[in-house]
Amino acid sequence: MEARLERAVQKRQVLFLCVFLGASWAGAEQLQYFVAEETERGTPLANLAKDLGLGLGELSARGPRIVSDQNTGFLLLSSLTGDLILNEKLDREELCGPTEPCVLTFQLLLENPFQIHRAALHVKDINDNSPVFLDKEIPLKISESTTPGATFLLERAQDSDVGTNSLSNYTISPNAYFHIHVHDGGEGTVFPELVLDQTLDREETAEFTLTLTALDGGSPPRSGTALVRILVLDINDNSPEFVQPLYRVQLPENTPVGSLVVAVSARDLDTGSYGQIAYAFFYATERILQTFQINSTTGHLYLKGELDYEAIQTYSITTQAKDSGGLSGKCTVVVEVLDVNDNPPELLMSSLTSPIAENSPETVVAVFRIRDRDSGNNGKTMCSIPHDLPFVLKPSVENFYTLVTETPLDRESHSEYNITITVTDMGTPRLTTQHTITVQVSDVNDNAPAFTQTSYTLFVQENNSPALHIGTISATDSDSGSNAHITYSLLPAHDLQLGLASLFSINANNGQLFALRALDYEALQTFEFHVGATDQGSPALSSQALVRVLVLDANDNAPFVLYPLQNASAPCTELLPRAAEPGYLVTKVVAVDRDSGQNAWLSFQLLKATEPGLFSVWAHNGEVRTSRLLSERDAPKHRLLLLVKDNGDPPRSASVTLHVLLVDGFSQPYLPLPDVARDLVQDEDVLTLYLVIALASVSSIFLLSVLLFVGVRLCRRARAASLGGCSVPEGHFPGHLVDVSGAGTLSHGYQYEVCLTGESGITSEFKFLKPIVPNFLTESMGREAE
C-alpha cells in the first residue's frame, strides 16, 4: 500500500514539473521599459493599464502586484492611475557592475483571475563616474639601453561606466622622450602603453615625472590622472617571458580554500640580479585580490576565498613576472567556475490568505514562487504537499504556484491546517527545502444551539420565596466566538392567564430559571412554556425546549366551614323536637379544604357542649346527632363547639359554633333569636345558677379560660355583625353561587351565595352571605308562625 502511495506521489510531482516547464516555455511576450540611472524617485515610467489593454478600474479590481528576484522595492504600481513609478534612484554600476545591458527583470502578478506578465527594466548608463587609477603614482624603471619604439604597459584606469561612457583614451603630459599608445585589450578594455621616442641618457636625465590622464567617452568627458615616475637604469636587456601567454583552469565552486589553482612559470635570460624573477598580480581588482593569491617566488596561484558560481562564473587574472632590473612579462590566467548543486531551492511567498472562511468554494490560499540559483538540472525543481490535506497545488508560469482549497473546509472538524510545502531540485545530490504555512479556518454560523434535553421538568413547592432558583436550562453551540455565545430567553406563552414574565425569569447568560413570585398550587398546578436559545451569529440561529413546572401542594389552607355560616349577623339556630329519638340528625356541618391529597382529608370533633353526652359528631361526615332521649330537665338552648381538622403536616383546623333550640314540636312558633332570648331570660338565670353551683369545684384557672374563650367569640361575633353584608369591590370577582350537592358531605342539596370580602386580598377568603333555604322549609316555618 505504501509503495502504491509513493508511486502516486511521484507521478503527481512529475506531472507538476511537466506542466510547469510547459507553462514557462509558453510565457507571454515580455514587456520592455527603459530608464536612465540616477532618475529621480517618483518618476512614472509607463502606464501598465494601457500596456495590458485594461481599464483602470479593471486593473485595480484584479489585484496587481509587482514581484522581483531582487527583493527590493525599486518599482511601485499606482492603483489610482495604473502608472509604473520608480520608487528609488537606481545606480547602474551597483546593480549590474560591468554587465551591459543592465536589465532588471520583474513580474506583474494579477491575482483575480490569476495571471503573470513578464517584464524587464533596462537601466541606461549615464556618465556619472570618472576614470580612477588605483595607484596615484606609477613607478617605472627603464634601462638607458632601451631602443626607441619600445613600449611599456602602464596601469589601466578603472571606470565603472559602460558603453560610450567607459574609458576610451589616455594622454600624457608633453615631453620629448615618450608618448602614449592606446592598446585595445578586447572586450571593450583599453590599456595605456608608454612608447619610447628616443634613446635615454641616464647621465643627462636620470628620472622623469609625467602626468598620465585617462579620458572616458562621455559628453562632456570625465578624466582621472596619475603620476608616472620613470627611473632610468643601467642596461638590462632581457625581459622575463612566460612559458605560455594564456592559462585556462576550471574549478568547481565548492573547491576548498587554499587549493592550488595553477602554477605559472616565466624565464629570464639575464644573469645575476637581473635574472631573478618575482611574480605578482598586475593591477588586479579587489574581487580578484579577495579570491586569489600568488606565491611571488614560485608563481603558484592559490585559492584565497570561496568561489560562487551564482555570483561570478569567470575570472581573468593578469599575472606579471618582473626581474630585479625592472623588466617584466605578463600572462593571463582564466579561471572558469563550474556549478555544483550547493543551493537548495527557495520558496518566495507572494501572498497568503488566512483565515479562510469555512464552507467556502475553491479559494486561493497562497501564491508563491520557486527559485533555485543553480543552473542546468541543479536548478530544476518539483513541488508537492501532503496528499491527505484538502488542498491542491496548481503550477503556473515563471515558477509560480497557487495553493487552493480542493473541498470546502469545516471548522468544527479542523480549525487549523499546518501545510508543509516540499521543494526538491533535480541535482546530485538532491537538495530539499520545506516551508510550513499555517492556515486558520474562520467560523461561519452554521450550527444552531442545541439543548441538552428536549424538555425539562422542574418541581417547585408552593408558597416559595420570590426570586427562587428553580432549575437551569443548558444548551451548547459547536461554533466559536460570538457564533457560540448563547442568550437564553422565555418565549411567549399565550395559555397563561398571568403574563409569563410576571411569574418566571431566566438569566440570559447561564439559563438559570427563577420564580419571581410565590406560586399557589390551588390556583394552578402546572405551568408549561418554551425557552429559546439564540446565538450571536449573523444571521442568528436559535432553538427551543419545553419547560414544565409542577407546583407541589403544601398544607397552607385551613378547612373552611360552608355550613352553618359563621359570619352572619345573627347566629344560626337549629331546632330540635324534644320527642327526637336517639340518633336523630340535628344538622350537618359542611366544610371544604382548598388543598389536595391528604392535606384536604377532613375530620370532625365535638370540643364542647352545653350538655355533654347529649350530642355526638360523626368524625368523617360532620353529622350532628342526638345520643340519647331528651328529658324535661334538659336546657331549652344548647351551644355546641365543633372542630374541623385536616390531615396535613402540621394539621390546620377551624372551629364552628352551633346553637340548638329545643322545641315541643315544629308547630311551636320560631321567633328570631333576640325575641327568644327575651322569653327565656328567666330560664337562663336559673340555668346559670345551677351551672355556678355545679362548677364550684372546678379550679379558677379553668373558669378563667372558659370566660376568656367566650369573650373572644363574642367579640368576633360583634365585629362580624358590625361589618354587615359583603360588598364586592370593583376589580374583584363578582358574587356567584356555590352549589354543594349531596355528593359531598351534605345529605341534602344546599346553595350559598358567596363573594370575596374586600379585606381578603391575596388570601382569597370567602364570605358566605346567607343560605338560600329551599321553599318547602320556608313555607313550613311560615305556617308554624301563623
Side-chain angles (χ1 to χ4, degrees):
M1 182 63 180
E2 294 180 355
R4 289 198 298 271
L5 290 176
E6 182 177 1
R7 288 196 296 272
V9 172
Q10 291 176 352
K11 290 180 180 178
R12 187 179 183 184
Q13 293 174 346
V14 171
L15 178 59
F16 282 169
L17 178 60
C18 294
V19 174
F20 161 71
L21 292 176
S24 300
W25 295 333
E29 182 179 355
Q30 193 175 44
L31 301 174
Q32 305 289 335
Y33 301 100
F34 298 85
V35 65
E37 67 172 331
E38 303 299 330
T39 299
E40 288 298 325
R41 180 176 180 266
T43 302
L45 303 181
N47 188 278
L48 287 180
K50 182 178 180 182
D51 293 345
L52 297 177
L54 301 175
L56 182 57
E58 182 182 1
L59 177 64
S60 177
R62 293 189 65 179
R65 186 194 305 270
I66 298 296
V67 180
S68 68
D69 287 343
Q70 284 75 17
N71 293 326
T72 58
F74 61 89
L75 292 175
L76 286 179
L77 177 60
S78 174
S79 60
L80 297 177
T81 64
D83 289 337
L84 184 65
I85 300 173
L86 191 64
N87 192 35
E88 61 185 24
K89 281 186 178 183
L90 301 180
D91 187 350
R92 194 208 66 79
E93 289 74 24
E94 180 181 351
L95 293 173
C96 300
T99 304
E100 181 64 13
C102 180
V103 180
L104 303 179
T105 61
F106 64 95
Q107 295 81 33
L108 173 63
L109 173 64
L110 301 179
E111 293 187 354
N112 185 23
F114 183 80
Q115 189 177 8
I116 295 176
H117 294 273
R118 297 178 299 160
L121 179 63
H122 296 259
V123 182
K124 297 185 292 185
D125 184 55
I126 64 173
N127 192 23
D128 59 340
N129 292 283
S130 299
V132 177
F133 290 90
L134 296 180
D135 295 325
K136 295 300 182 181
E137 184 175 316
I138 303 174
L140 187 61
K141 295 178 181 181
I142 302 177
S143 175
E144 62 179 350
S145 63
T146 305
T147 59
T151 60
F152 303 91
L153 192 63
L154 300 179
E155 174 190 357
R156 180 172 70 93
Q158 306 289 329
D159 193 341
S160 299
D161 294 326
V162 296
T164 58
N165 297 323
S166 64
L167 190 63
S168 63
N169 195 18
Y170 293 90
T171 62
I172 200 165
S173 56
N175 65 91
Y177 292 91
F178 302 95
H179 75 275
I180 287 295
H181 172 71
V182 179
H183 175 69
D184 187 358
E187 298 181 356
T189 60
V190 292
F191 295 90
E193 287 185 339
L194 186 65
V195 181
L196 183 62
D197 291 333
Q198 62 181 9
T199 305
L200 298 174
D201 185 0
R202 183 181 179 279
E203 286 71 22
E204 182 180 353
T205 305
E207 183 177 354
F208 296 89
T209 302
L210 305 175
T211 301
L212 177 64
T213 302
L215 300 171
D216 63 19
S219 178
R222 289 176 175 266
S223 62
T225 60
L227 292 179
V228 180
R229 293 190 180 276
I230 304 174
L231 181 64
V232 181
L233 302 176
D234 284 339
I235 296 174
N236 179 21
D237 55 348
N238 289 288
S239 299
E241 292 181 3
F242 281 91
V243 175
Q244 57 189 87
L246 178 65
Y247 293 85
R248 287 189 176 275
V249 181
Q250 291 183 335
L251 289 179
E253 64 176 329
N254 60 351
T255 301
V257 175
S259 299
L260 176 64
V261 178
V262 68
V264 297
S265 177
R267 294 174 298 178
D268 195 332
L269 298 178
D270 294 332
T271 60
S273 62
Y274 294 122
Q276 295 179 357
I277 299 174
Y279 299 91
F281 293 134
F282 183 73
Y283 299 113
T285 62
E286 285 187 13
R287 190 178 294 273
I288 291 176
L289 294 176
Q290 293 173 357
T291 309
F292 302 94
Q293 65 180 5
I294 191 169
N295 189 306
S296 61
T297 303
T298 62
H300 290 179
L301 186 65
Y302 294 96
L303 189 62
K304 181 181 179 181
E306 293 182 349
L307 300 176
D308 188 359
Y309 174 85
E310 287 71 32
I312 298 179
Q313 293 81 36
T314 304
Y315 293 89
S316 181
I317 307 169
T318 301
T319 305
Q320 175 182 261
K322 193 174 186 179
D323 63 16
S324 58
L327 299 179
S328 63
K330 299 176 180 62
C331 75
T332 301
V333 179
V334 177
V335 179
E336 295 181 3
V337 182
L338 302 180
D339 183 40
V340 297
N341 193 25
D342 60 341
N343 291 285
E346 300 176 68
L347 190 149
L348 307 176
M349 188 66 64
S350 297
S351 66
L352 175 63
T353 303
S354 181
I356 300 294
E358 65 173 331
N359 302 331
S360 299
E362 181 176 316
T363 304
V364 176
V365 178
V367 177
F368 60 91
R369 162 166 209 224
I370 303 301
R371 180 178 65 184
D372 196 315
R373 298 184 182 275
D374 295 320
S375 62
N377 286 334
N378 297 333
K380 296 178 180 178
T381 60
M382 56 184 179
C383 185
S384 64
I385 60 173
H387 65 277
D388 58 344
L389 297 177
F391 300 91
V392 65
L393 280 176
K394 292 186 177 181
S396 183
V397 298
E398 295 291 334
N399 279 352
F400 274 94
Y401 287 83
T402 56
L403 178 67
V404 299
T405 57
E406 190 173 23
T407 58
L409 306 180
D410 183 13
R411 189 205 66 83
E412 286 72 37
S413 299
H414 288 87
S415 61
E416 179 181 289
Y417 291 90
N418 292 317
I419 307 172
T420 300
I421 304 173
T422 303
V423 184
T424 305
D425 62 24
M426 306 301 292
T428 303
R430 293 190 175 187
L431 300 180
T432 299
T433 296
Q434 288 187 333
H435 185 86
T436 301
I437 61 175
T438 299
V439 177
Q440 304 284 343
V441 182
S442 62
D443 185 48
V444 173
N445 192 25
D446 56 349
N447 291 281
F451 282 95
T452 56
Q453 301 175 215
T454 56
S455 63
Y456 296 81
T457 301
L458 307 178
F459 297 91
V460 183
Q461 190 78 28
E462 70 169 327
N463 303 321
N464 57 283
S465 59
L468 175 67
H469 176 223
I470 62 174
T472 300
I473 309 302
S474 178
T476 59
D477 198 311
S478 301
D479 295 320
S480 64
S482 61
N483 295 332
H485 183 75
I486 298 176
T487 301
Y488 299 91
S489 62
L490 297 178
L491 301 182
H494 304 290
D495 56 342
L496 292 180
Q497 295 178 356
L498 296 175
L500 180 64
S502 65
L503 295 176
F504 301 99
S505 71
I506 189 169
N507 189 310
N509 296 323
N510 55 27
Q512 292 183 347
L513 276 172
F514 298 89
L516 298 180
R517 55 188 292 180
L519 302 180
D520 188 2
Y521 174 85
E522 288 71 36
L524 193 60
Q525 293 81 33
T526 303
F527 298 89
E528 284 190 357
F529 54 89
H530 286 85
V531 173
T534 306
D535 58 29
Q536 300 298 314
S538 180
L541 300 179
S542 63
S543 60
Q544 61 183 12
L546 175 65
V547 177
R548 182 181 294 105
V549 179
L550 301 182
V551 182
L552 303 179
D553 183 44
N555 192 25
D556 57 342
N557 292 282
F560 187 84
V561 179
L562 296 177
Y563 182 84
L565 296 177
Q566 298 298 301
N567 55 353
S569 58
C572 180
T573 302
E574 299 293 340
L575 301 179
L576 176 62
R578 289 184 178 272
E581 297 292 332
Y584 177 84
L585 176 62
V586 180
T587 186
K588 182 175 183 177
V589 177
V590 180
V592 294
D593 196 312
R594 297 181 60 195
D595 294 322
S596 64
Q598 65 178 8
N599 296 329
W601 296 350
L602 301 181
S603 61
F604 301 85
Q605 180 182 353
L606 180 60
L607 291 181
K608 183 179 179 183
T610 303
E611 186 69 33
L614 180 57
F615 299 98
S616 64
V617 178
W618 287 23
H620 299 296
N621 57 15
E623 293 181 352
V624 179
R625 296 179 180 271
T626 58
S627 299
R628 58 177 176 81
L629 291 173
L630 298 174
S631 65
E632 293 296 334
R633 292 185 301 175
D634 291 328
K637 181 181 179 182
H638 294 265
R639 181 173 177 270
L640 305 179
L641 180 61
L642 282 78
L643 179 68
V644 183
K645 183 172 64 174
D646 60 26
N647 198 37
D649 185 19
R652 289 178 175 268
S653 61
S655 60
V656 58
T657 301
L658 295 178
H659 294 273
V660 180
L661 183 62
L662 301 184
V663 294
D664 292 333
F666 283 111
S667 61
Q668 182 178 345
Y670 174 70
L671 300 178
L673 182 60
D675 296 337
V676 176
R678 286 194 298 268
D679 293 341
L680 300 177
V681 168
Q682 294 180 354
D683 294 338
E684 289 180 357
D685 292 338
V686 175
L687 180 61
T688 301
L689 179 60
Y690 291 157
L691 291 175
V692 170
I693 295 174
L695 297 176
S697 59
V698 180
S699 64
S700 61
I701 297 176
F702 178 77
L703 179 60
L704 179 61
S705 299
V706 172
L707 293 177
L708 181 60
F709 176 79
V710 173
V712 171
R713 297 299 297 174
L714 291 176
C715 289
R716 289 182 178 178
R717 183 176 301 170
R719 187 183 300 113
S722 64
L723 291 176
C726 174
S727 62
V728 181
E730 184 179 353
H732 289 73
F733 292 95
H736 59 280
L737 296 180
V738 177
D739 185 11
V740 182
S741 65
T745 57
L746 289 177
S747 58
H748 301 284
Y750 295 86
Q751 285 189 337
Y752 296 89
E753 186 178 358
V754 298
C755 70
L756 287 175
T757 63
E759 294 80 12
S760 60
I762 300 178
T763 58
S764 302
E765 292 182 0
F766 287 96
K767 183 171 184 180
F768 293 83
L769 298 181
K770 59 184 178 178
I772 301 177
V773 183
N775 292 333
F776 73 91
L777 182 58
T778 305
E779 293 175 357
S780 62
M781 286 185 176
R783 288 193 298 268
E784 291 291 335
E786 292 176 359

